[in-house]
Amino acid sequence: MSATASSKKIAVIGAGVMGVSIATHLQRQGAEVRLITETEPASGASSHSLAWLNSAGERSLAYHALRMAGIDRYRTLFARHPECEWLRFDGGLYWGKDDASGTLARHTYETSLGYDSHLTHAATVDNFTPNIAHQAIADSAIFNPGEGWVSLPHLIRFLLQEFTSGGGKLVTQAGKAQVITDAAGIATGVSTAKAGNFSADSVVVACGPYTPEVVEPLGVTLPNGSPVAMLVTTEPVEHGLKAVLNTPRAAVRPNPGNSLVMDHDWYESQFTQDAQGNYQIPPAVISELLAESAKLLAGQPTLKAAGYRAGLKPIPGDGDPVLGELAKVPGCFVAFTHSGATLALIVGELLAGEILSGEKHPMLAAFRAERF
Ligand SMILES: Cc1cc2nc3c(=O)[nH]c(=O)nc-3n(C[C@H](O)[C@H](O)[C@H](O)COP(=O)(O)OP(=O)(O)OC[C@H]3O[C@@H](n4cnc5c(N)ncnc54)[C@H](O)[C@@H]3O)c2cc1C
């Protein structure tokens, strides 16, 4: 622990997986950290995430490299805690709407980056992963053995245990928090609607889809492309599924307690909001998603919904992460990203390093807010 790190007071706003990971990494490096959140930890997008750990498909090389480092940190966690039922690396199985040439192009691209990618089809899929309904597979599919999944609410509890037992302060039910700046525009702390104010040497805004709203009063505009999304959890069921499935009508993965979770985007236009601002979805959509998911599983088990959660899924306007200190507001850092499950551990580590050392990490160079 360096003297500089141990003398720094940092306030992190938002106890989703990003804020919790950043706070825990800061705490590990000796900072005095206060994690402040509107209601309870894991109440935002991290409460309803498919949380498929991957870098499948096509994106910038910088984003791919960050995601691969993200997967690497989960692999380390997995190696240290193989008993965790909430983190698994049993691969991912993908097929798309497009014809075999689309799947082949994806596979060729993935292979060109050294991403572990295997073409398969109905007759060979059992060689890669069990309990898939052969008849559901399109002409061809891709199996990516290096992929996995995590249950974010479990990960958040796990990290918070370390954070609080190491002396980190968690402030829940704080209401909406805002960044306080001094006359020179430098971040000096956090004000909250219900829990008072906190001074800090640096502030981190990790408010998921609400990050743009929190930095807007500071004169920083972050384009926000966050859609409404939903995750359905099933009642316990004998399913035998190991891989994360990404298919044209349902994405499905195993979940602790022998349940499954599933999502997709084909029903996005059917969400409505009630008077309290909660998102609702017609029951017929849930039934259809369950039926589409059951079709993917050998034996087509009956899937019953135990519940669903819906809310905004954080996606910056151009789809890429927004990470690091705001040039306009010295001392104020942001973490606003899609694929925050895959990125949470690496972003927590790299941002904590930037905050405490003042040195910018090259892997985050492509993701600064100033690109907008
Ligand atoms: C349906 C769905 C599927 C997904 N699938 C994947 C996937 O397969 N792979 C992957 O890597 N990622 C996936 N993601 C994305 C990933 O889950 C998110 O990127 C990640 O959970 C975001 O975490 P976060 O901490 O940034 O935000 P959140 O989890 O939303 O946490 C932000 C927290 O900040 C709090 N907050 C907000 N405003 C304020 C304020 N003003 N004051 C105080 N507190 C505030 C909120 O209450 C919340 O608790 C998916 C997300 C969804 C919704």
Side-chain angles (χ1 to χ4, degrees):
M1 174 191 320
S2 78
T4 317
S6 62
S7 60
K8 279 203 172 165
K9 265 170 58 175
I10 319 286
V12 180
I13 311 177
V17 74
M18 274 298 157
V20 169
S21 174
I22 295 164
T24 306
H25 281 89
L26 285 164
Q27 155 103 4
R28 272 182 202 166
Q29 293 179 46
E32 190 185 322
V33 189
R34 199 174 290 270
L35 174 59
I36 301 156
T37 204
E38 185 173 359
T39 56
E40 292 297 320
S43 57
S46 304
S47 72
H48 56 274
S49 176
L50 187 71
W52 166 39
L53 305 175
N54 80 96
S55 189
E58 207 166 332
R59 58 185 51 79
S60 73
L61 288 180
Y63 196 7
H64 176 65
L66 191 63
R67 295 172 75 111
M68 293 308 290
I71 293 170
D72 174 72
R73 297 309 190 270
Y74 276 105
R75 285 223 170 254
T76 303
L77 182 63
F78 184 60
R80 286 186 184 146
H81 297 279
E83 76 287 355
C84 281
E85 59 159 4
W86 45 266
L87 174 61
R88 295 278 115 192
F89 278 99
D90 291 317
L93 183 67
Y94 162 90
W95 66 90
K97 284 192 202 107
D98 34 14
D99 55 14
S101 65
T103 305
L104 181 61
R106 181 175 168 117
H107 164 71
T108 304
Y109 179 79
E110 290 179 351
T111 306
S112 75
L113 295 182
Y115 194 68
D116 204 359
S117 177
H118 299 261
L119 280 177
T120 180
H121 51 81
T124 60
V125 70
D126 290 349
N127 299 335
F128 292 101
T129 190
N131 278 41
I132 307 297
H134 295 178
Q135 67 275 20
I137 296 187
D139 288 351
S140 57
I142 297 171
F143 185 70
N144 302 112
E147 296 176 353
W149 61 267
V150 62
S151 166
L152 292 182
H154 286 80
L155 174 64
I156 286 172
R157 273 199 293 280
F158 177 85
L159 291 175
L160 278 178
Q161 165 65 28
E162 177 187 339
F163 176 71
T164 52
S165 63
K169 303 277 188 308
L170 174 64
V171 183
T172 59
Q173 302 298 337
K176 296 251 180 236
Q178 290 187 309
V179 181
I180 305 172
T181 53
D182 65 12
I186 297 168
T188 57
V190 170
S191 69
T192 71
K194 298 184 189 163
N197 295 357
F198 304 97
S199 64
D201 299 310
S202 298
V203 175
V204 183
V205 181
C207 294
Y210 301 98
T211 301
E213 184 179 301
V214 176
V215 299
E216 205 270 322
L218 306 170
V220 176
T221 302
L222 299 180
N224 196 349
S226 305
V228 187
M230 165 183 79
L231 193 78
V232 174
T233 304
T234 69
E235 290 182 356
V237 56
E238 289 306 319
H239 56 74
L241 180 66
K242 293 282 189 192
V244 180
L245 307 183
N246 274 279
T247 76
R249 296 286 291 173
V252 188
R253 68 156 166 87
N255 198 47
N258 222 25
S259 61
L260 295 166
V261 293
M262 58 213 50
D263 77 347
H264 212 275
D265 59 9
W266 52 260
Y267 42 75
E268 243 174 51
S269 62
Q270 298 189 53
F271 286 104
T272 53
Q273 257 182 307
D274 66 17
Q276 287 73 45
N278 300 315
Y279 290 97
Q280 312 285 349
I281 194 91
V285 169
I286 312 261
S287 306
E288 194 175 338
L289 184 60
L290 289 165
E292 294 285 0
S293 303
K295 279 187 211 163
L296 305 174
L297 305 174
Q300 306 203 345
T302 303
L303 301 182
K304 292 190 186 142
Y308 77 89
R309 292 185 71 120
L312 294 178
K313 166 158 137 176
I315 304 189
D318 64 358
D320 275 5
V322 187
L323 303 168
E325 188 171 22
L326 298 173
K328 263 192 186 172
V329 193
C332 181
F333 294 73
V334 291
F336 173 37
T337 183
H338 176 43
S339 295
T342 304
L343 297 178
L345 298 181
I346 188 68
V347 166
E349 177 186 319
L350 299 187
L351 269 189
E354 288 200 344
I355 293 164
L356 297 181
S357 71
E359 283 169 28
K360 296 203 185 309
H361 196 286
M363 286 191 85
L364 302 185
F367 307 117
R368 306 302 181 188
E370 289 65 41
R371 71 176 182 271
F372 293 112

